[in-house]
Amino acid sequence: MPDMPKVKGIGLVKGLGVTMKEVVHTMFPKRGALTPIPSPTKGAVTVQYPHEKEDPAPRARGVIALLEENCTVCMLCARSCPDWCIYIEGHKEKAPPRRPGGKPRTVSALDRFDIDYALCMYCGICVEVCPFEALFWSPEY
């Protein structure tokens, strides 16, 4: 078999051919370029992200979020996190007694709760260990 001369740019031409085929298929989904009017709405669909949010997949967990009114600053989530990416700060407050005639009690109030998502590996241990269901999987992404 004789050696064929190498033509420069043949890969570029092949790539442009594949791209044009996909463009025609997207713009004219029924019969290709034989359709006189393009109908791009029947082809690929693009979601305008900041204005319209796409629904996550059914099994997607999203991110870990906090329900502040359930948090008692017990620090179980921060202690059980293998990546140490949860930061909690709180302070003690005086609260009224639970029953009339009881003594005043002290409760912990949440000042700061942060998760460093750059460190988080989304294992969900903190969600499972929280006894007050303050942490949950949010469908946001």
Side-chain angles (χ1 to χ4, degrees):
M1 190 167 173
D3 289 335
M4 298 287 293
K6 295 201 175 203
V7 179
K8 291 189 177 194
I10 193 75
L12 178 67
V13 172
K14 283 183 181 179
L16 287 173
V18 170
T19 302
M20 281 308 296
K21 179 181 162 193
E22 289 299 318
V23 166
V24 168
H25 178 69
T26 301
M27 292 294 290
F28 306 98
K30 296 236 181 213
R31 295 179 28 216
L34 299 174
T35 308
I37 301 171
S39 61
T41 58
K42 294 181 182 164
V45 177
T46 301
V47 176
Q48 301 299 323
Y49 171 65
H51 307 294
E52 299 175 28
K53 287 193 176 182
E54 190 174 355
D55 292 330
R59 292 187 49 146
R61 293 197 243 178
V63 295
I64 297 168
L66 174 73
L67 190 61
E68 287 187 38
E69 51 268 7
N70 288 1
C71 185
T72 60
V73 195
C74 65
M75 306 289 270
L76 284 174
C77 55
R79 281 191 234 130
S80 65
C81 180
D83 292 331
W84 292 93
C85 65
I86 299 176
Y87 306 102
I88 300 175
E89 291 178 6
H91 67 277
K92 301 277 186 186
E93 291 182 343
K94 290 279 188 188
R98 289 190 179 149
R99 290 186 276 280
K103 71 176 198 176
R105 56 194 174 105
T106 59
V107 293
S108 297
L110 182 66
D111 290 331
R112 175 182 168 221
F113 181 91
D114 285 326
I115 297 178
D116 188 352
Y117 290 110
L119 294 176
C120 184
M121 63 182 178
Y122 301 96
C123 63
I125 293 173
C126 58
V127 175
E128 292 174 15
V129 79
C130 182
F132 305 103
E133 297 181 357
L135 294 176
F136 63 96
W137 289 105
S138 170
E140 296 293 320
Y141 52 91

